[in-house]
Amino acid sequence: MAQSIYITSAEGHTGKSTIALGVLDALMRVSPRVGVFRPIARSTTERDDILELLIAHDGVQLDYDECIGVTYDDVRADPDTALATIVARFKAVEAQCDAVVVLGSDYTDVASPAELGYNARVAANLGAPVLLVLSGRDQQTQAERLGTTTARTPAQVGQMASLALAELAAERAELFAVIVNRADPDALQQTVEIVEAAPPKRTPVWAIPEDRSLVAPSMRGVLRAVDGRLLKGDPALLDREALDVVISGMSMVNVLPRITEGAVVVIAADRTEVLLAALLASASGTFPQIAGIVLNGPFELPEPIEQLLEGFEIGVPIVATDLGTFDTATHIMNTRGRLSVQSGQRYDKALGLFQRNVDLTELTIELGLAESSVVTPLMFEYGLIERARADRKRIVLPEGGDDRILRAAAILLARDVADLTILGDETDIRARASALGLDLGAAQILSPTDPELVERFAAEYARLRAHKGVTMQQAADTVTDVSYFGTMMVHLGLADGMVSGAAHTTAHTIRPAFEIIKTRPGVEVVSSVFLMALADRVLVYGDCAVIPEPTSVQLADIAISSAATARQFGIDPRVAMLSYSTGESGSGAEVDKVRAATALVRERAPELPVEGPIQYDAAADAAVARAKLPDSAVAGRATVFVFPDLNTGNNTYKAVQRSAGAVAMGPVLQGLNKPINDLSRGALVDDIVNTVAITAIQAQGENR
């Protein structure tokens, strides 16, 4: 039977969907088969946004229709029959999973004790312990959407807890834990202590602080709310949260001082002078960055104004609506920020907030979930993030002009994965991050033309390259290149590692490392591996990216370095030196090269399990191994695969990636004194996040 958890609340707008996302994400770390279930939904025909969000999470392998129990109408018509249906449909989901996250019903703006009671009854009948979500904010609907609700005192939260816990006990529901969401940031510990004192005691209690951006509507939500159309601006910026509303029913001289950070400015469409003033203020850098502009009223912009706007590169979204000022303002204020499949930034921010404030290890242990011997790609990625977070390192990202880098940086900072230094013009980077709705406040931003650092780096580079005749002036010109600047930071200890390549070639990224960082003692060459996350395990492939035709000595280097990399990432290394023949069955120059390399590995690392030459099937398949090499400790269970040349390695990793659906992480460079890693120029944001985590873990190993 699957372990399940029932998430419910005593009132509306507690953010329990955010909690459900965090719990689901936490369970994915330790279990390969996690399901979701919504016992009561508003409709079986209209899609439930929150259920869709949870099902869309990587790793959930269920169809939407499987995860719905009954509707509100079903419960009102016959509660007992509805409960029987819920139990039957839940059991069908439970049979397919190791753990199930059950998300209780929603509330209207008025709290309903009867609704909590029914949720408790459902939980008891499902045999699922309850995770109770309490709100740390007063439920004042319109004010809440403008971020002006008042925080509940710890005592008030304690009273809410006592009432809700009594309701759960009355229905004999088992309490698992309590989370106080949107709590007063200045009273987190006091809130936890008071709720812990409420019966039953010895129940885990966590508090998550208020984050206005999670309840504020996005500009995309504002656009839908006013039935508007995007007139001008960057569509990518529609995901930014609108943290305030400024109604500009006055002259521009009086409007400008009232603009606040992240505000949506509502302007009558015939007040074009205010529109132009708001755009100039946003572009100037001297006023707060606005989230967007809503032009209201059935007026077309005059042709001269249209021509003027065409001449400017406008990023700020300008939304047009036919509504009047009052209706426009009302629609915006009645719009809530919601998590959805499309709200990537809000999604990442919500997860980061959950992970920083909830003990994920305690949560999974209390639920009775043991770590699985199966390691899915998602579980491996989670492991990377957790290991990087445990001993944070500073990673430099030279490509601050790339939006993917900025988005990845915001995720990394929100999840406390690493400390970051981003290279570029600070004003430009912070303005772009603000326009994208990204929080890079914790990032260090450095200019690669900073005079003091350029002088220091140039002196060191000139010293390192004096044998090549490099002068101080040449060195000063060289180190202002972002790849050289970032590499010098790593070399001099100002950063622990570097990740680049999203906007530069591999050669541009790693050439400075060859010149400055150099190889580790005892290592002849820099090579690479890909971490290949298959459906149930992770393998190491090397070298698939750097050395075209390695010699036997270089192959031995690659094997030993790859085994060391495997250990860094929790993979027990069993090394297969691949060839087109197995054991003593074949001959020829290529086979002899692999045979010689295997002998060198055994000589240099006698403790390392290694087999070669060996064919891929004998290395990976136990049945083939029993026939070809029955006494081998590696055959049939290899974890590190060393390819005889780049052609074979590169094509094999891509074939496995495409045909087996494996997640390929890399290339991870190895053999350098300090970690430098290259990105594909087509890298996705998730690829950048994983590569930074990998680099941070490598830096932890270097320190040890």
Side-chain angles (χ1 to χ4, degrees), residues 45 68 70 90 102 214 225 334 341 413 482 522 548 666-667 669 672 677 681 685:
T45 55
I68 287 283
V70 299
F90 170 77
V102 185
L214 292 179
N334 283 335
V341 177
L413 293 171
V482 291
L669 296 183
L672 289 166
N677 278 310
R681 276 173 284 177
V685 171

Side-chain angles (χ1 to χ4, degrees), residues 395-453:
I395 307 300
V396 59
L397 304 172
E399 299 161 319
D402 192 304
D403 283 357
R404 292 170 297 168
I405 295 294
L406 301 185
R407 293 184 190 278
I411 294 171
L412 291 159
L413 293 171
R415 300 191 186 181
D416 292 329
V417 177
D419 297 320
L420 300 179
T421 297
I422 304 172
L423 300 188
D425 180 85
E426 182 166 12
T427 301
D428 291 346
I429 288 175
R430 295 212 182 275
R432 182 59 182 169
S434 178
L436 291 169
L438 304 175
D439 182 4
L440 298 185
Q444 178 189 43
I445 300 178
L446 290 179
S447 168
T449 58
D450 178 277
E452 185 178 334
L453 290 174

Side-chain angles (χ1 to χ4, degrees), residues 53-124:
L53 171 75
L54 298 177
I55 289 175
H57 193 291
D58 293 337
V60 176
Q61 306 295 325
L62 295 168
D63 293 331
Y64 179 92
D65 292 338
E66 293 179 273
C67 303
I68 287 283
V70 299
T71 66
Y72 280 87
D73 289 341
D74 295 330
V75 174
R76 293 187 190 101
D78 189 337
D80 292 335
T81 300
L83 181 58
T85 303
I86 289 170
V87 173
R89 293 187 66 81
F90 170 77
K91 290 298 181 183
V93 169
E94 186 184 45
Q96 303 176 58
C97 304
D98 301 313
V100 183
V101 176
V102 185
L103 183 60
S105 62
D106 293 324
Y107 286 73
T108 62
D109 289 336
V110 179
S112 170
E115 189 161 355
L116 175 60
Y118 193 77
N119 275 281
R121 186 181 172 195
V122 172

Side-chain angles (χ1 to χ4, degrees), residues 532 534 650-664 680:
M532 302 296 294
L534 305 179
N650 193 271
N651 278 297
T652 302
Y653 105 76
K654 287 180 177 174
V656 172
Q657 181 186 32
R658 301 300 178 188
S659 60
V663 177
S680 162

Side-chain angles (χ1 to χ4, degrees), residues 530-541:
F530 277 87
L531 303 174
M532 302 296 294
L534 305 179
D536 58 354
R537 63 193 184 282
V538 180
L539 304 176
V540 177
Y541 283 8

Side-chain angles (χ1 to χ4, degrees), residues 11 27 51 95 100 151 161 203 245 254 284 311 392 415 428 462 469 504 518 520 558 644:
E11 58 189 329
L27 298 186
L51 182 56
V100 183
T203 298
V245 181
N254 293 312
S284 69
R392 284 171 59 169
R415 300 191 186 181
D428 291 346
H504 294 91
K518 304 187 187 305
R520 296 161 65 178
I558 293 168

Side-chain angles (χ1 to χ4, degrees), residues 598-611:
T598 305
L600 282 171
V601 173
R602 288 175 174 148
E603 179 184 327
R604 291 172 54 188
E607 77 292 347
L608 183 63
V610 60
E611 190 68 68

Side-chain angles (χ1 to χ4, degrees), residues 87-321:
V87 173
R89 293 187 66 81
F90 170 77
K91 290 298 181 183
V93 169
E94 186 184 45
Q96 303 176 58
C97 304
D98 301 313
V100 183
V101 176
V102 185
L103 183 60
S105 62
D106 293 324
Y107 286 73
T108 62
D109 289 336
V110 179
S112 170
E115 189 161 355
L116 175 60
Y118 193 77
N119 275 281
R121 186 181 172 195
V122 172
N125 279 273
L126 298 185
V130 171
L131 173 57
L132 178 65
V133 182
L134 301 173
S135 176
R137 311 294 295 185
D138 280 334
Q139 302 300 304
Q140 300 167 6
T141 312
Q142 285 199 9
E144 177 191 20
R145 285 149 202 172
L146 293 176
T148 57
T149 51
T150 57
R152 284 174 173 157
T153 65
Q156 289 172 326
V157 175
Q159 290 172 354
M160 288 289 299
S162 296
L163 292 172
L165 293 174
E167 189 74 20
L168 295 179
E171 296 294 341
R172 294 177 172 77
E174 177 189 356
L175 181 66
F176 169 72
V178 178
I179 291 181
V180 182
N181 195 28
R182 304 184 62 203
D184 183 350
D186 297 325
L188 289 184
Q189 187 56 39
Q190 188 182 0
T191 300
V192 168
E193 291 170 358
I194 287 180
V195 175
E196 280 179 335
K201 299 179 182 179
R202 291 190 297 238
T203 298
V205 177
W206 297 290
I208 299 176
E210 164 82 332
D211 186 331
R212 283 181 58 199
S213 65
L214 292 179
V215 295
S218 67
M219 280 304 300
R220 194 178 305 279
V222 168
L223 184 147
R224 287 195 296 265
V226 299
D227 193 22
R229 59 192 182 279
L230 183 63
L231 201 63
K232 303 283 183 184
D234 185 351
L237 304 189
L238 287 172
D239 292 323
R240 186 176 182 187
E241 293 86 9
L243 301 176
D244 197 0
V245 181
V246 175
I247 309 297
S248 58
M250 58 197 81
S251 69
M252 66 179 182
V253 174
N254 293 312
V255 169
L256 293 181
R258 289 169 169 77
I259 289 178
T260 57
E261 188 71 25
V264 53
V265 182
V266 178
I267 304 171
D270 59 351
R271 296 294 300 272
T272 54
E273 78 285 358
V274 180
L275 167 63
L276 297 177
L279 289 173
L280 285 171
S282 181
S284 69
T286 58
F287 283 83
Q289 285 282 320
I290 61 175
I293 294 171
V294 175
L295 294 178
N296 70 278
F299 311 109
E300 297 293 330
L301 287 177
E303 187 174 337
I305 300 299
E306 287 273 12
Q307 288 178 327
L308 187 59
L309 295 180
E310 288 295 332
F312 289 95
E313 185 176 339
I314 297 173
V316 175
I318 302 176
V319 172
T321 177

